[in-house]
Amino acid sequence: MNRRRRIYEGKAKILYEGPEPGTLVQHFKDDATAFNKKKHQIVDGKGVLNNRISEYIFSNLNDMGIPTHFIRRLNMREQLIREVEIIPLEVVVRNVAAGSLSERLGIDEGTPLPRSIIEFYYKNDELGDPMVSEEHITAFGWANPQEMDDIMSLAIRVNDFLCGLFLGVGIRLVDFKMECGRLYENDMVRIVVADEISPDSCRLWDMTSNEKLDKDRFRRDMGGLLEAYQEVARRLGLLNSNERVTGTGPVLVQ
Ligand code: UDP
């Protein structure tokens, strides 16, 4: 047995060298962190759920012709992905006011926005991921204007898809964060959706009760994080309705 080469370890995931050049293995951990790692907890089974939910979303995006880094899920905690050059931006798309937008602009949480709003944050833990504009991004060379057009059009397409997907299972997509990467293929380079899309990176509210089914349960000490992620997976048809996650993680359908 050889030890795999670890390329990168983040807050909730580890990237390992993949089986072929140009591929990586993305491993989902059970760590929940918030407020730039000031708050940290292990939630048994969270990585398994995020791996499965993110797989479901990314395979649908691929099938719709929205390019992503995702190739296939390998096991309960890992997926095979294409190696991309990550653009150091968090792209946030909002449909309903919540979180930092509500705080910054004094708009009540839950207020529907007149139209979807795209925001950019510079990925830098030391600076606490500051919000930046397209001007900063192109001036500092994090992405060029053509790439920004591609990123915004991807963000809108992903938002439309996710809104519809969640609407169909009684969930309101309040906002979400996505990341993009440059995929190099021969002498071509294109922008693809990367990282993960899961209840860790979305705000998901039950359509009728407004119950939070996302990481705000952890950020705001509400408890029931795993149960909420499980409910999202169950509604998407990824878990049997009567399954409960205990220490060892859920048993998955398929
Ligand atoms: N988000 C994320 N990672 C971050 C910051 C935000 O996945 O480092 C997601 C968050 O879950 C929410 C959306 O981006 O779905 C908007 O987050 P917001 O700017 O309101 O920040 P927060 O209130 O979470 O600090």
Side-chain angles (χ1 to χ4, degrees), residues 11 35 90 92-94 98-101 103-104 119 121 129 175-177 199-203 215-216 219-220:
K11 286 171 266 198
F35 312 117
E90 299 202 332
V92 169
V93 184
R94 302 178 183 275
S100 69
L101 177 103
E103 277 169 38
R104 212 171 36 240
E119 297 173 345
Y121 295 83
D129 297 345
D175 55 34
F176 72 97
K177 183 263 301 186
D200 266 6
S201 56
C202 300
R203 281 199 173 91
K215 197 167 138 185
D216 270 351
R219 294 190 191 97
R220 302 180 188 191

Side-chain angles (χ1 to χ4, degrees), residues 23-43:
T23 65
L24 296 174
V25 172
Q26 178 164 259
H27 176 107
F28 288 75
K29 302 193 284 184
D30 282 338
D31 299 60
T33 63
F35 312 117
N36 213 348
K37 280 203 255 185
K38 284 186 202 89
K39 188 168 174 174
H40 177 246
Q41 195 185 317
I42 304 288
V43 180

Side-chain angles (χ1 to χ4, degrees), residues 13 53 61 67 90 92 99 109 120 134 137 152 162 164 174 180 211 219 241-242 249:
K13 292 188 296 291
I53 294 170
L61 293 175
E90 299 202 332
V92 169
E109 280 215 327
F120 303 101
E134 217 178 321
I137 296 166
M152 280 189 277
L162 290 179
V174 171
C180 295
E211 191 189 353
R219 294 190 191 97
S241 53
N242 53 0

Side-chain angles (χ1 to χ4, degrees), residues 63-75:
D63 289 347
M64 291 170 62
I66 299 177
T68 81
H69 73 164
F70 179 81
I71 302 173
R72 64 188 161 86
R73 182 164 64 87
L74 295 171
N75 55 51

